[in-house]
Amino acid sequence: MTIAVYPGSFDPIHNGHIDVIGRAARIFDRVIVAIANNDAKTPCFSFEERRFMVEEALQGYFNVETDILDGLLIDYVHKRNAGVIVRGLRAVSDFEYEFQMALMNRRLGGEIETFFLVPSEAHTFISSRLVKEVARLGGEVASFVPSHVKKELIRKLL
Ligand code: PNS
């Protein structure tokens, strides 16, 4: 049984994340979506708000669960007996950071492998940062996020 952890800020979850989660759920026995803080970013939504949006978006995925990760990713991966870290790769611009993180986690974690999954090209330009910017400025985000996330974005940002 292979357990995969898909970590991310999910601030908020968008259709590109959901695409990657669907792909991971077809490959691995169990997928844990781990909502974490990225030291380089100040989150707009609290852990609980992000968890609510992720859980709503993932209803119907029987082998996917959601959790909050408040610490070192690699420690969490060991604690959950997972063998794999999943990350999405949208474009070459993601590569350097992802490569660095994968190697750091390998150095810290030994046996843990990082799997990169590529979302549908329909989602490759979507990022949480851009979705928040568009929403804050009154733009339409319905094609980037599920409807409940759009509602939360409007409530929080407008
Ligand atoms: O969605 P993001 O912001 O690209 O996700 C980055 C995230 C949260 C996966 C990364 O910052 C992380 O792993 N944070 C947990 C703390 C940690 O282990 N940092 C060292 C990573 S090598």
Side-chain angles (χ1 to χ4, degrees):
M1 165 136 166
T2 307
I3 301 172
V5 172
Y6 178 35
S9 306
F10 303 108
D11 187 44
I13 189 166
H14 57 64
N15 293 344
H17 295 130
I18 296 168
D19 179 303
V20 168
I21 292 164
R23 288 170 203 280
R26 289 195 291 276
I27 297 169
F28 302 107
D29 299 300
R30 192 136 66 90
V31 178
I32 302 167
V33 177
I35 302 162
N37 278 341
N38 180 335
D39 265 8
K41 304 173 186 170
T42 304
C44 169
F45 292 98
S46 70
F47 271 129
E48 286 310 325
E49 287 171 325
R50 284 180 273 163
R51 181 177 207 158
F52 164 75
M53 288 185 276
V54 171
E55 282 181 345
E56 284 284 306
L58 299 180
Q59 282 176 13
Y61 289 79
F62 74 95
N63 62 339
V64 179
E65 66 177 89
T66 307
D67 200 3
I68 288 169
L69 185 189
D70 197 7
L72 203 56
L73 169 61
I74 204 70
D75 290 344
Y76 179 83
V77 170
H78 285 304
K79 194 176 87 190
R80 299 302 308 264
N81 291 318
V84 167
I85 296 168
V86 167
R87 292 285 291 170
L89 259 192
R90 292 168 298 194
V92 176
S93 51
D94 285 341
F95 181 77
E96 200 170 323
Y97 169 63
E98 294 298 336
F99 188 63
Q100 219 180 355
M101 238 179 18
L103 290 179
M104 177 62 84
N105 284 322
R106 177 177 288 165
R107 178 66 67 89
L108 296 172
E111 301 297 300
I112 308 299
E113 291 295 343
T114 300
F115 271 64
F116 294 105
L117 295 176
V118 177
S120 158
E121 65 275 15
H123 305 311
T124 47
F125 62 94
I126 305 175
S127 70
S128 298
R129 187 185 66 76
L130 276 183
V131 167
K132 282 179 286 192
E133 186 173 324
V134 171
R136 187 178 297 117
L137 297 171
E140 181 51 79
V141 294
S143 62
F144 312 135
V145 293
S147 57
H148 69 282
V149 175
K150 175 180 165 180
K151 219 181 283 174
E152 290 299 309
L153 279 163
I154 289 170
R155 186 182 63 79
K156 176 74 87 176
L157 298 173
L158 288 182

